């Protein structure tokens, strides 16, 4: 499949998922996850109209960032070690994997040195799988309280990863759980600005995520493909 045909196919599936769930297509933004492909392929995707790029390690993202900064919005979607925050802050426009206060502190430190604010999503482990990063849902309210000590760290939404399921329908409770958590947090009013974004859904399950309210889907394989790369 060519890049163009994959882009068209994803677009059609997104439009159908939006139609099924009474959502507007423009309320869902696609992040092209380029971690499996070369900088050249990432550049082709940008040439074909992709405007959001997701990467999950700085060393792998570096080439793409240097080539494409200014042409695309960069999302850091992988788990982030505290001592690596300084590589990411100032380069990536959004961090999707905030899940502990020491990391918030490291983001704050670099952001205040640069005089910027960093919009972040709080990663939540809705499924309870041990292998998954993220806060248990019940700890998110307290975590949001703790974030007030770090004014350059701006929570704008929630992110989750669903377990891989053969039948994507089985991921629905996870995505619904994240939406309900966001709505509940907004009802309590723990943030100055209501949390808006729901970063959820990947190649295997994005249609279900859209039906459950995803505002950002993170698409690698299905959108930009997978190349054999070393490392
Ligand atoms: C790799 C990755 C994706 C994209 O994975 P695909 O299944 O190829 O779409 C999405 N989110 C995160 C956090 C990832 O690490």
């Amino acid at each position: 499949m060519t890049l163009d045909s994959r882009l068209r196919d994803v677009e059609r599936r997104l439009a159908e998922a939006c139609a099924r769930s009474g959502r507007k297509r423009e309320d869902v933004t696609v992040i092209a996850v380029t971690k499996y492909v070369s900088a050249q392929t990432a550049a082709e995707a940008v040439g074909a109209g992709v405007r959001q790029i997701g990467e999950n390690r700085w060393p792998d993202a570096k080439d793409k960032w240097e080539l494409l900064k200014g042409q695309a919005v960069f999302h850091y979607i992988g788990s982030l070690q505290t001592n690596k925050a300084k590589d990411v802050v100032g380069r990536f426009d959004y961090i999707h994997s905030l899940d502990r206060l020491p990391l918030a502190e490291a983001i704050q430190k670099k952001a205040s040195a640069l005089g910027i604010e960093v919009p972040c999503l709080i990663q939540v482990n809705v499924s309870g799988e041990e292998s998954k990063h993220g806060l248990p849902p019940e700890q998110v309210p307290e975590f949001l309280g703790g974030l007030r000590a770090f004014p350059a760290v701006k929570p704008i939404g929630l992110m989750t990863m669903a377990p891989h399921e053969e039948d994507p329908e089985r991921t629905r409770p996870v995505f619904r759980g994240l939406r309900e958590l966001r709505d509940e947090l907004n009802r309590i009013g723990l943030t100055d600005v209501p949390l808006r974004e729901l970063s959820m859904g990947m190649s295997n399950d994005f249609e279900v995520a859209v039906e459950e309210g995803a505002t950002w889907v993170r698409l690698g394989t299905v959108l930009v493909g997978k190349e054999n790369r070393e490392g």
Side-chain angles (χ1 to χ4, degrees):
M1 248 178 130
T2 63
L3 182 62
D4 273 332
S5 60
R6 276 197 299 263
L7 288 171
R8 268 199 309 277
D9 195 49
V10 164
E11 191 46 49
R12 178 186 52 76
R13 290 171 61 185
L14 277 173
E16 287 172 4
C18 287
R20 278 197 298 277
S21 50
R23 300 190 62 207
K24 292 201 220 100
R25 172 63 189 87
E26 62 266 30
D27 291 344
V28 185
T29 301
V30 175
I31 301 173
V33 178
T34 53
K35 69 185 185 198
Y36 303 122
V37 301
S38 64
Q40 195 196 329
T41 303
E44 280 169 28
V46 169
V50 163
R51 288 292 168 267
Q52 317 281 327
I53 290 198
E55 280 280 334
N56 65 352
R57 285 184 70 231
W58 168 241
D60 297 337
K62 192 165 180 285
D63 287 356
K64 294 157 198 161
W65 185 80
E66 279 163 1
L67 189 64
L68 299 170
K69 64 174 184 251
Q71 298 179 60
V73 174
F74 277 79
H75 299 259
Y76 192 89
I77 62 173
S79 63
L80 182 55
Q81 285 173 264
T82 304
N83 64 359
K84 302 280 164 58
K86 61 181 185 319
D87 297 334
V88 167
V89 174
R91 293 191 172 115
F92 286 77
D93 301 279
Y94 297 92
I95 296 175
H96 289 234
S97 48
L98 178 58
D99 62 358
R100 55 200 195 280
L101 290 175
L103 177 59
E105 186 177 7
I107 296 169
Q108 168 72 33
K109 196 170 163 205
K110 177 77 186 203
S112 66
L114 296 172
I116 60 170
E117 291 180 342
V118 185
C120 293
L121 287 84
I122 296 161
Q123 186 170 353
V124 184
N125 183 354
V126 178
S127 69
E129 262 190 309
E130 247 174 64
S131 61
K132 292 273 184 287
H133 291 271
L135 286 166
E138 63 275 13
Q139 288 180 19
V140 178
E142 190 186 333
F143 183 76
L144 283 170
L147 280 188
R148 292 189 171 277
F150 310 112
V153 179
K154 295 288 179 201
I156 61 164
L158 306 176
M159 179 274 221
T160 200
M161 288 178 77
H164 183 86
E165 299 281 1
E166 285 304 317
D167 176 8
E169 189 55 38
R170 298 188 59 164
T171 60
R172 190 177 295 279
V174 172
F175 298 139
R176 184 169 295 173
L178 195 71
R179 168 166 49 87
E180 288 174 351
L181 177 63
R182 179 199 60 184
D183 295 347
E184 176 62 19
L185 294 167
N186 286 338
R187 234 185 332 269
I188 311 170
L190 293 166
T191 45
D192 300 337
V193 181
L195 300 169
R196 188 187 127 84
E197 309 301 343
L198 291 175
S199 169
M200 57 189 196
M202 308 181 11
S203 289
N204 189 52
D205 52 23
F206 70 95
E207 289 148 302
V208 178
V210 166
E211 289 169 13
E212 292 300 328
T215 62
W216 278 334
V217 289
R218 308 179 307 266
L219 304 181
T221 326
V222 79
L223 189 69
V224 291
K226 207 168 189 168
E227 296 163 353
N228 287 325
R229 304 182 66 223
E230 287 170 43

